Amino acid sequence: MFLMLTVSHLRCEYRINPIGLDITSPRLSWHLQSDLRNCVQSDYQIQLSRTEDMAQIEWDSGKKSSDQSIHVELEHWVPEARTRYYYRIRAWDRAGDESDWSEIAYFETGFMGSEDAWQAEWITVDPSSQQDESCPRLRTLFELKKPVASARIYVTALGLYELHLNNQRVGEAYFTPGWTSYSKRLQYQVYDVTDQLQNGQNILGAYLGDGWYKGHLGWEKKQKIYGTNAGLLLELHIHYTDGSEERIISDRNWKSSPSAIRSSDIYMGETYDARMESEWQDSSSFQWSPVRVLDYSKEIIIAQENVPVTPIEQIKPITLLTTPLGERVLDMGQNMVGWVRFSIQGETGHTVELLHAEILDHKGNFYTENLRGATQCIRYTLKGVGVEAYEPRFTFQGFRYVKLIGFPDEIRLEDFTGVVLHSNMERTGDFKSSSSLVNQLHHNILWGQKGNFVDVPTDCPQRDERLGWTGDAQMFIRTSSYLMNTAPFFTKWLRDLQADQGEDGGIPFYVPDLRSSTSDGWGDTNHSSAAWGDAAVICPWTIYEMYGDVRLLAEQYDSMKRWINYIHAQGENPYLWNTGFHFGDWLGLDSKPDSYIGATDKDFVATAFYAYSVSLTRKAAEVLGHTEDVTYYDKLHDNIVAAFQNEFVTPAGKLAVPTQTAHVLALHFDLLDSTARKRTIDQLGKLVADAGNHLTTGFVGTPYLNPVLSDTGHHDLAYTLLFQEDYPSWLYQVTQGATTVWEHWDGIREDGSLWSADMNSFNHYAYGAIGEWLYRYVAGINTDEHKPGFHIVHIEPKPGPGLEWVEASFETMYGSVTSNWYRRDNNEMEVRVTIPANTTGTVLLPGADVQTVLENGKALAQVADIHEIQTQASDVRIALGSGSYQFTYKVLEADQALHVQKVETV
Ligand code: RAM
C-alpha cells in the first residue's frame, strides 16, 4: 500500500537514542509527515521492547486516541535501571490515513538511583608518587575469558576525564563530566563499549584534567575552587553471552602515573611533551604507582542532562600572515572556539607554541591583552619521530588568529585545522535574506552561540572569565532556541541555577556559582541583580514556550517563586525594587564616562523586571494549575505596576526616565496606562531620532528594542536601526569584519582604537539577541503561548525598507516551519509558508487585499484547506492546517511599511 502518512524523527527527552537516562517517565516525541494538507494526528500507538527485533513487546500503548506527538509519557510504566528499550511508533490522522511503523529508536537507562549503583570507589593519585603538575593517568588491566554480549562504562570524575579502552578513546564527548554546581550535582556518563572489548587482556585507563573543578576559574583566577584532588569513579559492566555479569570498578587496585600532558588548564592551555608518551600497557616513561582511595560523596551524582560537547566542525586557516612585528600568524577566517589540531616534523626535544587571539590590533599585530590572564597557550615538545600530530583535550581557546612560535620556516596551511567544539545541540534555525550584511550578522549570532554554548551558557569564551552569567543567558535564550534545540542545555543549567539559588531566594550573578562553592560564601554584592536574577523566571518560561516543556516549568516553579519572594523582601516598599546592587542597563551608551552602567535609573530597571517576572510567574502558575498563586500574582502585579507608575510616570503620563531603554522596558513589559503608553511610544521614536536614528541601549534594553519598535508602529525605524552601518549599530561590527558578536558596540572604534582591554570580548552573544527579532518579526515565525512548542504556528512576516526577500526556517518539535517572502517589482508580494503536520497555523499577509490574494494561483475562497480568513486593517489573516502554501498578491499602495528602498549591500 502507498502510505502518505509517516512517523519519523523519534526523540526521547529531545535526544536521538540517548543512553544513561535516569528519568522514571521518559518523554517521547516524533514528527508526523503527510503528503496531504491539514494533517492532524487522531491516534498513535507506541510499542516498547527490550530487543531490537521487537519480538517481545514490553509495553504497548495500544491505539490511543490523542493528537499529542511531543513529550508523550508512557503511562503506568517505569523503566528498569541499566536497560535499553527499543521503541517504535505509528499514527493515524483525521483523514483516516494510517502510517507504517516508524524506524526503531531506543533509549537506555542509567543507574536510576538503584541500590547497587556505584560499588566503585573514588580514586586519585597518591601525592607521594606524583609530584609534578601533569595530568595523571589511572589504569587497570583485566582478562576476559568469555564472549561478551554487551558492556557499558558508567563514569564520572572530579576534574575532567578522557577514557581509553584498549588504546582507543572512548566516546566522542569532551570536557566530561561537564560543568555543574559540583558540590551539589555531578553528572556521570554512560558509554557502550561492547565493540571495544577483546578476548584476553584488556586495558582501561583515564587521563584526568583539572578543568573547571580545580583549574583556574573566574577573573580572580582562583584554583581548586571545588576541590584539590582530581578523581575518577568508574564502573565497567560486562554482560556475557552466558547471562552472567561482571563489574570492573575503580578501586585501590588501579595504578596511576604521570603523563605526557605536562599541564592543562581551561584558560591557560596545554603543555605536552611527546617524548614522555607511553602506551597504556607499558611503563617505559613512568612508573605505575598505587592509587589512593578518595573519600568523596556519591550522593550528588546525577545522570547526564545536557547533550555532550563534541567536535562539531573543522575549519582550515585562510592565510598565514606576517605581522609588522614579524610574528607569523594563522588567520582562521572565523572567530571560533575549540582548538587547533596540527602536524609537525622536527627534532626531538624541540618545542613549538601556539598562542591564540581574537583580533589583530590596528597596526596589524597579534593582540592578546583582552584575554587578561588567560594565556591560551599550547606548547608541544616533539618526540622527533616522523610526522607528529597533536590536539589538546582539556582546554579550549577562543580565537581567530594563531601565533606560531618555533615552527619550521616553511609553514603549510594544510597542517593546521581548527576544531570547533560546543554542546552538540541540533541546529534548528536558518535565516537568509537579500542583504548580505544582515546574513553576516545572522552568521555572527550563530557563531556567538557556538562559541559560548560549551556545556554552560557563557559570556565569553576567551578571557579569564567564561562564566554562566545569568543576565546574558536570559537575553539570548530565545534567539538561541531559534538557532538550535537548547532544551537539554538549559534544563541542566536551570537545575544548577536552582541548586545555587540562595536560601533567601537570591540568584547568583553566574551559574554555576563559584563563590557559593568556596568558603567565602555569599557576599553582599555577588548575587541578585535585576535582569540577571530574572533568568530564574524568563528562562524556564521561554523553554516552555519554545518546546512546550511543562515538566521543566513545573520543576523550576518553586525557584521562580522564591526569586519573586526574594525581590518582594527587598527594600521598604514591597512593590518597588530600589535597593541593592544592580548591573543596570549594562554597557548602555548613555552611561557616564568610564562607567559600564547605562543611564537608565537602576531602580526603574529593577522594578520593571520585577513586574515582568511576576507576570511570567503568574502565567506559569496558570499553566500548572496553581490557581491561588494566579490570584496572588495578579494582585502583586497590579501593585507593582501602580508603584511603578507612581514612581516613574508623571501624572500627565510622561515617563520620567528619559532613556531609550526605559521606554523600551515600560512598553515591552506593559507597565503603562493608555495615555502614558501613547506618549511613551511617541517619545521612544523621538529618542531614537535624537540619537540620529541610532540606539543607545545596553544589555537590558537592546534585546527588546526592535521588537518594541515593531510592536508599536515604529516598524520602519526598527529596520532603520538594523541597517545602520556606522557606530553604534549591529552592522557596524559587521562592516568592521566581525565574524562573531562583540561585547561592546565599540569594541573596535572607528579610528581603530580598542575599548579597554579589561573587558572587551569579541565573542559575546548578548547583542546577538536581535536574532529573535529576525526570526520572530522579520520572518515572523512565532509560537502561541497557549499552545506552546509551536502546536499553533503563527507566521507574520514583517517586511520593511531594505529587504527584498527573506527565507527562514525553523525546526519545531513537530517538524519544519518555513516562512519565505519575496517583495518583487510592481509591488508583487509572494509569501511561502510551511506548517508542520499535526499543527495548525495562522498566516498574516501584510498589505494584502483579500480579493486579490491567490494561493497557488487560486482565489482564497476556493482553497479548501483554509479554515478561516480575516481582514485586519490592510492585512489578511488566514487560519490554516498543515502543509505548504504559496500566496501571491499585490501590496496595497497605501501600505507604507512595505515600501522597499534598495540599500547598498556589500
Ligand atoms: C561582564 C560581561 C557579562 C556581564 C557582566 C555583568 O562580565 O559583560 O556579559 O553579564 O559583566
Side-chain angles (χ1 to χ4, degrees), residues 433-600:
S433 75
S434 53
S435 162
S436 55
L437 287 177
V438 172
N439 296 346
Q440 181 68 35
L441 172 64
H442 179 266
H443 168 100
N444 296 2
I445 298 167
L446 177 66
W447 277 83
Q449 177 162 359
K450 291 181 185 183
N452 285 295
F453 278 50
V454 180
D455 208 46
V456 161
T458 55
D459 60 328
C460 58
Q462 73 299 81
R463 68 182 179 221
D464 52 9
E465 192 162 337
R466 315 186 190 186
L467 298 175
W469 284 94
T470 48
D472 307 42
Q474 67 80 2
M475 291 158 206
F476 190 63
I477 185 171
R478 196 177 291 256
T479 299
S480 67
S481 305
Y482 274 104
L483 292 166
M484 300 184 196
N485 186 321
T486 63
F489 181 86
F490 277 110
T491 298
K492 160 177 165 286
W493 185 74
L494 280 167
R495 289 178 182 163
D496 285 311
L497 179 145
Q498 175 150 195
D500 281 345
Q501 188 164 13
E503 273 173 27
D504 57 0
I507 300 286
F509 291 161
Y510 38 79
V511 170
D513 183 29
L514 312 185
R515 294 175 197 236
S516 65
S517 303
T518 61
S519 48
D520 305 355
W522 288 76
D524 279 341
T525 57
N526 58 24
H527 64 97
S528 301
S529 164
W532 269 250
D534 294 287
V537 173
I538 296 171
C539 294
W541 179 256
T542 307
I543 295 297
Y544 169 73
E545 282 204 329
M546 295 298 284
Y547 304 104
D549 197 328
V550 187
R551 186 180 286 182
L552 183 68
L553 194 65
E555 221 183 87
Q556 293 297 130
Y557 183 64
D558 185 52
S559 157
M560 298 165 81
K561 284 177 69 166
R562 295 203 300 123
W563 169 242
I564 302 294
N565 291 345
Y566 172 85
I567 305 175
H568 194 264
Q570 306 305 304
E572 282 150 25
N573 182 339
Y575 309 122
L576 279 181
W577 192 6
N578 53 10
T579 54
F581 171 84
H582 298 283
F583 293 109
D585 188 21
W586 188 243
L587 308 188
L589 293 173
D590 43 16
S591 66
K592 294 204 186 97
D594 297 329
S595 168
Y596 283 141
I597 300 186
T600 309

Side-chain angles (χ1 to χ4, degrees), residues 399-413:
F399 63 100
R400 169 170 173 172
Y401 298 98
V402 187
K403 178 160 140 184
L404 303 176
I405 300 172
F407 277 80
D409 290 344
E410 198 206 327
I411 290 194
R412 303 182 320 164
L413 293 185

Side-chain angles (χ1 to χ4, degrees), residues 51-200:
T51 53
E52 198 170 0
D53 59 11
M54 306 295 288
Q56 272 199 334
I57 301 300
E58 153 116 8
W59 182 89
D60 192 334
S61 66
K63 185 174 174 184
K64 192 163 157 74
S65 162
S66 166
D67 71 347
Q68 193 182 348
S69 58
I70 68 169
H71 305 309
V72 176
E73 295 181 12
L74 311 182
E75 278 170 20
H76 312 299
W77 178 79
V78 178
E80 277 176 32
R82 298 187 286 121
T83 308
R84 180 172 292 194
Y85 296 97
Y86 295 87
Y87 65 101
R88 62 181 179 188
I89 297 166
R90 60 177 166 169
W92 291 258
D93 70 11
R94 291 200 188 147
D97 273 332
E98 176 184 343
S99 80
D100 218 336
W101 283 110
S102 66
E103 281 183 8
I104 291 162
Y106 63 81
F107 59 89
E108 184 177 314
T109 51
F111 281 130
M112 299 287 294
S114 56
E115 289 198 345
D116 66 345
W118 300 120
Q119 295 170 3
E121 291 178 295
W122 277 110
I123 53 171
T124 187
V125 172
D126 189 334
S128 63
S129 56
Q130 185 183 334
Q131 275 94 33
D132 67 20
E133 287 292 304
S134 76
C135 295
R137 299 196 293 174
L138 310 179
R139 72 154 201 217
T140 188
L141 305 170
F142 56 93
E143 289 275 325
L144 292 185
K145 298 203 177 97
K146 299 190 280 189
V148 171
S150 71
R152 299 287 184 271
I153 291 177
Y154 303 83
V155 58
T156 185
L158 306 173
L160 304 175
Y161 69 82
E162 181 177 280
L163 285 184
H164 289 253
L165 178 53
N166 295 326
N167 296 311
Q168 258 179 3
R169 192 179 194 279
V170 174
E172 290 178 349
Y174 279 84
F175 309 122
T176 44
W179 187 13
T180 45
S181 184
Y182 287 135
S183 46
K184 301 156 198 157
R185 291 159 30 82
L186 174 64
Q187 294 184 130
Y188 72 95
Q189 285 76 35
V190 184
Y191 301 96
D192 180 349
V193 291
T194 315
D195 296 338
Q196 259 173 281
L197 289 174
Q198 62 200 24
N199 217 344

Side-chain angles (χ1 to χ4, degrees), residues 233-530:
L233 182 73
L234 177 146
E235 296 198 358
L236 164 60
H237 292 207
I238 303 167
H239 293 265
Y240 294 104
T241 48
D242 65 8
S244 60
E245 191 188 320
E246 187 181 358
R247 291 188 187 193
I248 309 288
I249 60 173
S250 55
D251 61 14
R252 60 200 72 227
N253 299 320
W254 284 51
K255 294 281 188 307
S256 84
S257 89
S259 79
I261 311 173
R262 305 309 297 154
S263 71
S264 188
D265 184 277
I266 288 183
Y267 296 168
M268 303 304 173
E270 221 157 272
T271 298
Y272 189 88
D273 189 339
R275 293 170 303 179
M276 297 182 170
E277 279 175 355
S278 65
E279 297 288 321
W280 284 93
Q281 52 271 35
D282 72 32
S283 30
S284 48
S285 304
F286 304 106
Q287 284 298 330
W288 289 92
S289 320
V291 296
R292 197 159 63 87
V293 168
L294 197 63
D295 182 19
Y296 198 89
S297 169
K298 296 178 196 167
E299 304 292 306
I300 53 165
I301 300 174
I302 50 165
Q304 161 103 5
E305 296 169 340
N306 188 3
V307 291
V309 175
T310 64
I312 305 283
E313 61 198 289
Q314 304 191 349
I315 57 181
K316 288 307 237 180
I318 53 174
T319 183
L320 175 74
L321 307 162
T322 303
T323 68
L325 285 175
E327 305 148 314
R328 291 193 299 164
V329 172
L330 292 174
D331 179 359
M332 304 306 293
Q334 171 64 50
N335 196 9
M336 58 163 279
V337 175
W339 55 61
V340 173
R341 178 193 302 145
F342 62 94
S343 342
I344 186 165
Q345 199 162 6
E347 284 186 11
T348 181
H350 179 72
T351 298
V352 294
E353 276 182 15
L354 293 85
L355 294 169
H356 302 76
E358 289 186 288
I359 57 161
L360 303 177
D361 68 14
H362 66 287
K363 292 191 182 133
N365 292 315
F366 193 70
Y367 178 83
T368 55
E369 275 174 59
N370 69 327
L371 306 177
R372 302 191 308 218
T375 49
Q376 299 207 121
C377 175
I378 301 298
R379 198 171 284 122
Y380 178 85
T381 303
L382 280 76
K383 58 185 167 227
V385 191
V387 178
E388 302 174 34
Y390 182 68
E391 65 189 304
R393 0 158 120 72
F394 294 137
T395 181
F396 60 87
Q397 286 80 50
F399 63 100
R400 169 170 173 172
Y401 298 98
V402 187
K403 178 160 140 184
L404 303 176
I405 300 172
F407 277 80
D409 290 344
E410 198 206 327
I411 290 194
R412 303 182 320 164
L413 293 185
E414 63 262 35
D415 290 340
F416 299 87
T417 304
V419 181
V420 177
L421 292 104
H422 57 80
S423 291
N424 197 345
M425 300 163 287
E426 286 188 54
R427 175 81 189 272
T428 49
D430 198 24
F431 181 97
K432 287 188 206 72
S433 75
S434 53
S435 162
S436 55
L437 287 177
V438 172
N439 296 346
Q440 181 68 35
L441 172 64
H442 179 266
H443 168 100
N444 296 2
I445 298 167
L446 177 66
W447 277 83
Q449 177 162 359
K450 291 181 185 183
N452 285 295
F453 278 50
V454 180
D455 208 46
V456 161
T458 55
D459 60 328
C460 58
Q462 73 299 81
R463 68 182 179 221
D464 52 9
E465 192 162 337
R466 315 186 190 186
L467 298 175
W469 284 94
T470 48
D472 307 42
Q474 67 80 2
M475 291 158 206
F476 190 63
I477 185 171
R478 196 177 291 256
T479 299
S480 67
S481 305
Y482 274 104
L483 292 166
M484 300 184 196
N485 186 321
T486 63
F489 181 86
F490 277 110
T491 298
K492 160 177 165 286
W493 185 74
L494 280 167
R495 289 178 182 163
D496 285 311
L497 179 145
Q498 175 150 195
D500 281 345
Q501 188 164 13
E503 273 173 27
D504 57 0
I507 300 286
F509 291 161
Y510 38 79
V511 170
D513 183 29
L514 312 185
R515 294 175 197 236
S516 65
S517 303
T518 61
S519 48
D520 305 355
W522 288 76
D524 279 341
T525 57
N526 58 24
H527 64 97
S528 301
S529 164

Side-chain angles (χ1 to χ4, degrees), residues 582-763:
H582 298 283
F583 293 109
D585 188 21
W586 188 243
L587 308 188
L589 293 173
D590 43 16
S591 66
K592 294 204 186 97
D594 297 329
S595 168
Y596 283 141
I597 300 186
T600 309
D601 183 342
K602 287 196 255 173
D603 300 349
F604 182 105
V605 173
T607 306
F609 270 89
Y610 180 18
Y612 184 50
S613 278
V614 169
S615 74
L616 296 184
T617 306
R618 183 214 168 278
K619 288 184 188 186
E622 196 168 356
V623 170
L624 300 170
H626 301 305
T627 33
E628 279 175 24
D629 289 358
V630 175
T631 317
Y632 170 76
Y633 288 122
D634 262 338
K635 184 101 194 71
L636 179 58
H637 188 257
D638 288 350
N639 287 331
I640 300 168
V641 171
F644 175 90
Q645 293 180 354
N646 187 39
E647 187 85 359
F648 301 114
V649 186
T650 68
K654 180 177 171 172
L655 212 57
V657 179
T659 64
Q660 292 181 9
T661 290
H663 286 63
V664 164
L665 296 186
L667 291 168
H668 193 66
F669 298 162
D670 202 9
L671 302 175
L672 305 170
D673 65 22
S674 58
T675 313
R677 186 170 175 86
K678 166 105 200 21
R679 285 190 71 172
T680 304
I681 290 172
D682 293 346
Q683 188 59 22
L684 175 60
K686 285 192 197 118
L687 287 171
V688 175
D690 289 350
N693 282 341
H694 282 82
L695 50 79
T696 58
T697 47
F699 276 31
V700 160
T702 304
Y704 305 126
L705 176 60
N706 270 19
V708 165
L709 291 172
S710 291
D711 284 338
T712 57
H714 290 307
H715 181 60
D716 280 15
L717 196 52
Y719 266 72
T720 305
L721 291 184
L722 172 70
F723 278 108
Q724 295 296 11
E725 291 176 30
D726 58 344
Y727 166 80
S729 65
W730 288 280
L731 294 188
Y732 166 67
Q733 32 188 281
V734 171
T735 60
Q736 295 288 307
T739 57
T740 38
V741 175
W742 300 349
E743 180 171 24
H744 293 269
W745 293 117
D746 53 350
I748 303 174
R749 304 204 185 88
E750 279 162 317
D751 64 4
S753 64
L754 301 174
W755 181 274
S756 149
D758 67 3
M759 209 186 78
N760 198 10
S761 158
F762 293 97
N763 193 354

